[in-house]
Amino acid sequence: MIQSVRGTKDILPDSIAKWHFVESIFRKVSAIYAYKELRTPIFEKTEVFCRSIGEQTDIVNKEMYTFNDKGGDSITLRPEMTAALVRSFIQNNLATANSVQKLWYYGPFFRYERPQKGRLRQFHQYGAECLGSPYPESDVEIIMLADSICKTLGIANYKLMLNSLGNAFSRERYKTALLHFLHKIKNELSDDSKIRAKTNPLRVLDSKDEKDIKLLENAPVLIDYFDEDSNDHFLHVQNLLKENQIPFEISSKLVRGLDYYSHTVFEFRNDYLGSQDAFGGGGRYDGLVEQLGGKHYPAIGFALGVERIIIILESLGMFAESIENTDVYIAPLGNEALPLASAAAQTLRQMELVTVTDLNRRSLKAQMREANKLNCRFSIIIGENEIKHRTFIIKRMSDGEQFEVTLNDLKQFDFTQ
Ligand code: AMP
């Protein structure tokens, strides 16, 4: 038997209702915040991601699905959306003077990671990006959009972790101090952190290694190196969040993995997820549009992991057993009844009634068993008599009451009774 690729999952019909539910909330809340959907291809030229996410990040270094296509171009299945969205934003001239573009997206993403609970190689993200404002109010609007989605989904028990990486100037000043500190403890760091200390020192702060965490307790703190602009921005974001009664926790070690972030970064966490406790995150990326060949265009965005959201909602018992809702079951008796059964089914479907008819020429008993299993509200049996008179007996399943109608009158029958 051929199995699916490791780290990928089929979404089967009995769980699709969960996906439709979360997708409908993404659409609804995005619209309330006046965000418009953007869809891009699931693969891009590899340089879209290399030039933005950063060569020295785990995503680009280890996790991308990259291959040469038959024309010899290097192609990558998108590991995240921001870079692809910015590519599309520039290419389609979506940047207009003095305007803010508010976009959202939803779809599959691909990373070659070690699969475990809540970590897949093909997973889904919903995200939103607000491009064109350098101001803290856009940071807060985007955080509030994410927060509204969580609340509308019914997730209340999460933590918003907040930090600021400051502007490039502050970050450079901090990097010097951090490198100095890391140099002193370099022999005791984990192997991963030793490499990161050389290639991407800020990411050492993100280490999940217990010993590293202990060693980093005394590391210099980023905000101590902030200039006025960085300080103002961060304080303004915090004040606006307080104003809106959005609780948050400042986590000075939250740096997030990618190179393009500046100022505000944030993450949503939920204890139920275990070691993969983040179910969403984002940040400001003021330099990215320019880095990918556009004009200077400040922006901020976030992404939520849909598989992790579904795990949280399941843990909260949010999904009741979904009940099939079939309106009418049509049971043809014998092959002569098939044309009339088919015509009746067609009429009912044109009336937008969920209609099922037997496709396996089974006995009446077997068909009625299925009608019960499907929880049908009405059934129609089509036998010799019905064919002769072109009339039907419609049976209401809840109380067994029967109604006689002609094929022509079927359209007028009240199936809500
Ligand atoms: P990131 O783009 O890494 O900031 O991820 C944003 C969110 O996407 C995370 O908080 C997760 O919920 C989700 N996510 C990222 N990588 C994976 C993965 N390999 N499997 C499942 N969900 C993921």
Side-chain angles (χ1 to χ4, degrees), residues 144 147 151 238-248:
M144 287 180 66
D147 179 77
K151 292 203 172 116
Q238 292 175 54
N239 287 339
L240 275 175
L241 286 172
K242 283 181 196 152
E243 192 82 29
N244 285 292
Q245 275 122 39
I246 309 276
F248 60 88

Side-chain angles (χ1 to χ4, degrees), residues 111 113 118-120 123 125 256 278-281 303-305 308:
R111 292 184 198 171
E113 293 193 84
R119 193 159 75 191
L120 293 151
F123 59 98
Q125 284 186 342
R256 305 213 11 100
F279 65 94
L304 300 175
R308 291 189 198 173

Side-chain angles (χ1 to χ4, degrees), residues 199-211:
T199 57
N200 195 346
L202 274 182
R203 287 227 48 212
V204 177
L205 299 176
D206 227 4
S207 173
K208 302 279 180 286
D209 181 284
E210 295 284 329
K211 205 168 147 228

Side-chain angles (χ1 to χ4, degrees), residues 10-49:
D10 300 315
I11 301 169
L12 298 175
D14 65 357
S15 59
I16 201 73
K18 300 176 187 180
W19 288 78
H20 289 166
F21 168 70
V22 293
E23 288 160 11
S24 71
I25 303 281
F26 296 153
R27 255 193 209 110
K28 183 172 137 190
V29 181
S30 308
I32 292 171
Y33 278 76
Y35 280 64
K36 298 218 163 71
E37 187 180 3
L38 175 78
R39 298 186 190 181
T40 64
I42 59 163
F43 53 72
E44 294 278 344
K45 289 186 179 152
T46 302
E47 60 180 307
V48 168
F49 305 111

Side-chain angles (χ1 to χ4, degrees), residues 59 79-80 111 113 118-125 256 258 261 267-268 278-282 303-309:
I59 292 187
E80 58 109 50
R111 292 184 198 171
E113 293 193 84
R119 193 159 75 191
L120 293 151
R121 291 183 173 168
Q122 175 175 330
F123 59 98
H124 295 76
Q125 284 186 342
R256 305 213 11 100
L258 319 183
Y261 287 123
E267 228 165 59
F268 289 93
F279 65 94
L304 300 175
V306 184
E307 281 78 2
R308 291 189 198 173
I309 282 180

Side-chain angles (χ1 to χ4, degrees), residues 44-66 76-86 109-111 125 199-200 203 255-261 285 287-288 291-292:
E44 294 278 344
K45 289 186 179 152
T46 302
E47 60 180 307
V48 168
F49 305 111
C50 288
R51 276 175 53 188
S52 53
I53 298 170
E55 298 276 358
Q56 299 309 333
T57 56
D58 283 353
I59 292 187
V60 171
N61 249 342
K62 306 186 204 155
E63 296 169 2
M64 293 210 303
Y65 279 92
T66 297
T76 294
L77 299 186
R78 60 186 190 184
E80 58 109 50
M81 184 66 171
T82 306
L85 182 138
V86 169
F109 294 85
F110 308 86
R111 292 184 198 171
Q125 284 186 342
T199 57
N200 195 346
R203 287 227 48 212
V255 292
R256 305 213 11 100
L258 319 183
D259 276 2
Y260 53 59
Y261 287 123
Y285 53 93
L288 185 59
Q291 204 175 311
L292 283 175

